[in-house]
């Protein structure tokens, strides 16, 4: 089967789930129902999100002030469960899309399309096809990469690496883009492009991780048909995995067990705080724990069956629709574990050697003024955001849990913090949560509602959205650290 598409006769034998991208053979007679959810999310009951929006006038003000589409879209509605964060998010996104910057407005939206296409995120592609045309983009470019200027096409390699294996980015990739010639990028332009790519890769993680539904009134822009998407995974629907009955059925153990899981987690958090006060782990112990966690992440695979196969085994069973594949090259290229078995040549990225605070922030601000401040505010906001609650419990210090979530994402991208005891990750993050984190961060298009429901079953939906915000920002920061380090090495 050809990559990026297939012959009409071969494709006729398959059904493709446009959400999780799983290919289902028609001869398997899988029952497909109509989507069973309304509202902004397929994972969260509509009334929970609607209630948050009706009581919060601040959200409506933010949309009027900073939304490029001018409407309360589904992403914004779900994020509005955390209004403080939403303001930081919308301000930074508005700045990179609309305010003065090195790149022309249509180019910004086309780069967003290219980034979203790496994860087949039809929701974001549709949104930015519309914005691209509204800002004066050339309609012909929407026919695919062969219709765009070579200069934009040259971003393909860094788009691919940033999305799936950012640790492979080197100063040579930067030099190739900025070398003298008619298609070269200036460093400010390249930093703007990198920020956009990282933002939309990470936002795709949030879209899939939060089950964001397509907008109810998709528009036809200047005669261009927007890519059709399903509200639900065919795979979920075939298993009757709908929002009404999924919470405490199937493989879940019921209310009693999930309550005891919550109590156990709180006990572990308390014990870790006490142990840290008594005695800190040695540097050698922390390094050992990181290497152990990094290698163990190899065995954290998605609940979807094809995750357990080697990459090449399921590649031939994937059909990426031409609507998406036109915006990317090498569609078979995806995430591979940083700590792959038998490959020890990749050095760990020691966070202390190149930090966002001391290195990345100042470089971004120097080459693309003010975006560094906005990104820094957003990273700090999500990392420190807390309501001191866990499910029904109040006055809870969740610092250790938030740090474990953030650092586990960075661990999967090969980034180590010398001052962090990675033993905490194993103690605080249960296996079903690790599966969810790895899927949302590394293969977001494969996220299912079953994965979302399988962890923290007594927690509020707003708390799970908070998890998704942490995962999104941790991923964006990891991508930026690798790209900005390569730019720094190019400059020195």
């Amino acid at each position: 089967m050809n990559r990026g598409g297939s012959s009409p006769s071969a494709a006729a034998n398959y059904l493709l789930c446009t959400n999780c991208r799983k290919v289902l053979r028609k001869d398997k007679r899988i029952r497909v129902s109509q989507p069973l959810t309304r509202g902004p999310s397929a994972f969260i009951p509509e009334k929970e999100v609607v209630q948050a929006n009706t009581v919060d006038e601040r959200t409506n003000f933010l949309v009027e002030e900073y939304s490029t589409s001018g409407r309360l879209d589904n992403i914004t509605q779900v994020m509005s469960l955390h209004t403080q964060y939403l303001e930081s998010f919308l301000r930074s996104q508005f700045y990179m899309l609309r305010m003065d910057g090195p790149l022309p407005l249509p180019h910004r939206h086309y780069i967003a399309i290219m980034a979203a296409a790496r994860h087949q995120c039809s929701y974001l592609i549709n949104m930015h096809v519309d914005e691209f045309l509204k800002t004066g983009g050339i309609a012909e470019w929407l026919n695919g990469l062969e219709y765009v200027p070579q200069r934009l096409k040259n971003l393909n390699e860094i788009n691919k690496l940033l999305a799936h294996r950012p640790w492979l980015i080197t100063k040579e990739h930067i030099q190739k883009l900025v070398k003298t010639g008619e298609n070269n990028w200036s460093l400010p332009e390249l930093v703007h492009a990198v920020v956009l790519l990282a933002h939309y890769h990470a936002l795709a993680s949030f879209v899939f991780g939060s089950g964001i539904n397509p907008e109810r009134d998709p528009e036809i822009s200047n005669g261009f048909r927007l890519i059709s998407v399903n509200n639900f995974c065919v795979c979920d629907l075939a298993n009757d995995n709908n929002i009404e009955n999924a919470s405490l059925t199937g493989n879940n153990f019921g209310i009693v067990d999930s309550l005891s899981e919550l109590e156990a987690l709180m006990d572990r958090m308390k014990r870790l705080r006490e142990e840290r006060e008594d005695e800190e782990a040695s540097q050698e112990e922390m390094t050992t724990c990181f290497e152990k966690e990094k290698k163990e992440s190899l065995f954290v695979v998605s609940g979807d069956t094809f995750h357990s196969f080697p990459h090449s085994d399921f590649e031939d069973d994937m059909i990426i629709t031409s609507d998406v594949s036109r915006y990317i090259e090498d569609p078979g290229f995806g995430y591979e574990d940083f700590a792959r078995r038998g490959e020890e040549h990749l050095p760990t990225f020691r966070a202390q050697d190149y930090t966002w605070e001391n290195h990345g922030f100042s470089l971004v601000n120097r080459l693309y003024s003010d975006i560094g401040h906005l990104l820094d505010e957003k990273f700090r906001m999500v990392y420190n955001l807390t309501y001191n609650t866990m499910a029904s419990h109040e006055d809870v210090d969740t610092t250790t849990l938030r740090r474990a979530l953030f650092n586990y994402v960075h661990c999967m991208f090969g980034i180590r913090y010398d001052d962090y005891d990675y033993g905490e990750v194993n103690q605080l993050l249960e296996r079903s949560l690790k599966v969810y984190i790895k899927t949302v961060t590394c293969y977001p298009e494969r996220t299912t509602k079953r994965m979302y429901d399988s962890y923290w079953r007594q927690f509020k939906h707003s708390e799970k959205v908070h998890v998704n915000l942490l995962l999104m920002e941790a991923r964006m920061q990891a991508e930026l650290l690798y790209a900005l380090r390569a730019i720094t090495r190019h400059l020195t």
Side-chain angles (χ1 to χ4, degrees):
M1 197 172 294
N2 297 326
R3 290 185 180 181
S6 64
S7 68
S9 58
N13 297 322
Y14 294 90
L15 288 169
L16 177 69
C17 177
T18 55
N19 186 15
C20 77
R21 317 308 299 169
K22 183 182 284 186
V23 172
L24 305 167
R25 297 180 190 276
K26 286 184 178 176
D27 56 15
K28 291 197 175 175
R29 301 182 183 280
I30 291 181
R31 178 172 61 83
V32 180
S33 314
Q34 289 300 307
L36 298 170
T37 62
R38 296 166 59 230
S41 167
F43 297 174
I44 304 169
E46 184 180 20
K47 64 177 185 287
E48 292 203 23
V49 181
V50 170
Q51 283 169 359
N53 290 328
T54 52
V55 298
D56 201 330
E57 293 178 10
R58 182 72 182 158
T59 298
N60 295 324
F61 168 77
L62 292 172
V63 170
E64 288 174 16
E65 196 77 11
Y66 297 116
S67 171
T68 55
S69 65
R71 65 178 178 180
L72 186 62
D73 59 45
N74 290 344
I75 290 177
T76 308
Q77 288 190 64
V78 173
M79 281 190 187
S80 69
L81 292 167
H82 302 281
T83 316
Q84 274 182 292
Y85 169 82
L86 177 65
E87 181 166 1
S88 291
F89 173 85
L90 287 177
R91 285 179 65 216
S92 62
Q93 182 173 261
F94 186 80
Y95 188 88
M96 63 182 83
L97 289 174
R98 284 290 186 271
M99 300 296 282
D100 287 344
L103 294 174
L105 297 187
H107 284 61
R108 304 179 194 193
H109 292 290
Y110 202 86
I111 290 167
I113 292 168
M114 290 172 67
R118 284 308 322 176
H119 288 303
Q120 301 117 55
C121 187
S122 302
Y123 179 93
L124 291 175
I125 292 172
N126 287 344
M127 179 181 285
H128 289 281
V129 161
D130 195 44
E131 295 285 315
F132 171 76
L133 293 167
K134 283 179 179 174
T135 53
I138 299 168
E140 187 184 22
W141 291 11
L142 298 175
N143 290 326
L145 288 177
E146 61 267 36
Y147 296 89
V148 306
Q150 185 62 42
R151 192 161 164 277
L152 267 177
K153 209 181 295 185
N154 288 346
L155 284 179
N156 266 312
E157 185 71 9
I158 203 163
N159 181 26
K160 178 177 82 172
L161 294 177
L162 265 180
H164 307 296
R165 304 175 210 170
W167 53 87
L168 296 180
I169 294 173
T170 64
K171 68 177 182 180
E172 284 73 29
H173 291 109
I174 306 304
Q175 286 164 353
K176 195 174 174 184
L177 287 165
V178 301
K179 68 181 179 183
T180 307
E182 58 179 323
N183 297 315
N184 74 304
W185 289 75
S186 70
L187 277 173
E189 287 173 331
L190 183 57
V191 167
H192 194 172
V194 161
V195 167
L196 284 165
L197 290 171
H199 176 78
Y200 283 101
H201 295 153
L203 190 54
S205 285
F206 182 83
V207 168
F208 286 115
S210 303
I212 300 295
N213 273 330
E215 299 298 326
R216 284 191 183 174
D217 53 345
E219 300 172 8
I220 304 298
S221 296
N222 293 7
F224 274 82
R225 181 177 60 82
L226 300 186
I227 300 166
S228 61
V229 289
N230 293 340
N231 291 28
F232 244 89
C233 277
V234 167
C235 323
D236 276 356
L237 293 167
N239 293 309
D240 200 27
N241 184 16
N242 65 65
I243 203 163
E244 308 301 331
N245 67 14
S247 297
L248 293 169
T249 57
N251 294 328
N252 294 334
F253 303 113
I255 292 174
V256 174
D257 282 329
S258 57
L259 278 171
S260 63
E261 281 177 0
L262 173 62
E263 300 298 338
L265 175 58
M266 292 184 67
D267 284 344
R268 289 196 297 274
M269 289 167 64
K270 184 181 176 185
R271 192 171 66 249
L272 283 171
R273 279 196 301 274
E274 291 169 351
E275 286 173 0
R276 197 184 298 119
E277 287 169 8
D278 292 341
E279 184 182 358
E280 286 195 5
S282 70
Q283 194 61 53
E284 187 179 345
E285 286 170 332
M286 289 194 280
T287 303
T288 303
C289 282
F290 172 79
E291 294 301 326
K292 182 169 179 267
E293 194 57 53
K294 191 173 70 172
K295 287 186 167 61
E296 282 185 3
S297 74
L298 280 167
F299 302 99
V300 175
V301 292
S302 162
D304 282 11
T305 52
F306 63 78
H307 265 219
S308 56
F309 295 121
H311 183 72
S312 58
D313 287 353
F314 63 76
E315 186 177 282
D316 287 344
D317 283 335
M318 297 292 284
I319 303 172
I320 298 177
T321 58
S322 59
D323 286 316
V324 173
S325 65
R326 69 180 71 174
Y327 299 119
I328 55 173
E329 289 178 355
D330 196 3
F333 188 91
Y335 175 83
E336 283 188 1
D337 292 281
F338 179 83
R340 291 194 303 280
R341 278 157 282 191
E343 294 193 25
E344 302 294 337
H345 63 281
L346 287 171
T348 293
F349 186 124
R350 293 180 69 252
Q352 280 69 15
D353 294 342
Y354 195 92
T355 66
W356 164 256
E357 293 80 7
N358 297 330
H359 306 91
F361 169 79
S362 56
L363 177 65
V364 165
N365 249 15
R366 178 158 61 89
L367 293 171
Y368 178 19
S369 62
D370 289 336
I371 193 64
H373 290 294
L374 291 165
L375 292 175
D376 190 59
E377 179 193 328
K378 187 160 62 84
F379 291 147
R380 290 176 189 274
M381 172 64 70
V382 79
Y383 195 81
N384 296 317
L385 183 65
T386 182
Y387 306 94
N388 296 308
T389 60
M390 276 178 63
S392 57
H393 295 265
E394 296 182 353
D395 298 319
V396 182
D397 183 353
T398 60
T399 307
T400 54
L401 192 54
R402 283 178 278 125
R403 193 174 185 193
L405 289 163
F406 200 91
N407 287 0
Y408 185 57
V409 172
H410 280 198
C411 175
M412 288 186 296
F413 285 96
I415 298 172
R416 174 167 69 88
Y417 294 86
D418 287 349
D419 60 349
Y420 183 66
D421 179 4
Y422 286 85
E424 293 188 8
V425 168
N426 256 347
Q427 294 190 59
L428 297 176
L429 309 184
E430 56 175 312
R431 182 167 181 80
S432 60
L433 177 53
K434 282 185 174 181
V435 168
Y436 177 78
I437 292 170
K438 186 168 185 178
T439 306
V440 168
T441 306
C442 305
Y443 326 90
E445 60 275 19
R446 301 178 189 173
T447 310
T448 65
K449 184 172 187 300
R450 183 166 295 171
M451 292 180 198
Y452 175 89
D453 284 330
S454 68
Y455 80 95
W456 286 6
R457 285 160 292 160
Q458 285 300 305
F459 282 65
K460 302 183 192 86
H461 286 289
S462 61
E463 291 170 315
K464 291 193 170 190
V465 170
H466 188 183
V467 169
N468 288 338
L469 296 176
L470 275 163
L471 303 186
M472 172 174 73
E473 296 298 352
R475 177 182 177 179
M476 182 179 184
Q477 191 180 98
E479 289 190 26
L480 286 177
L481 284 171
Y482 279 109
L484 296 173
R485 184 180 68 170
I487 291 172
T488 299
R489 287 176 173 174
H490 161 73
L491 289 169
T492 52

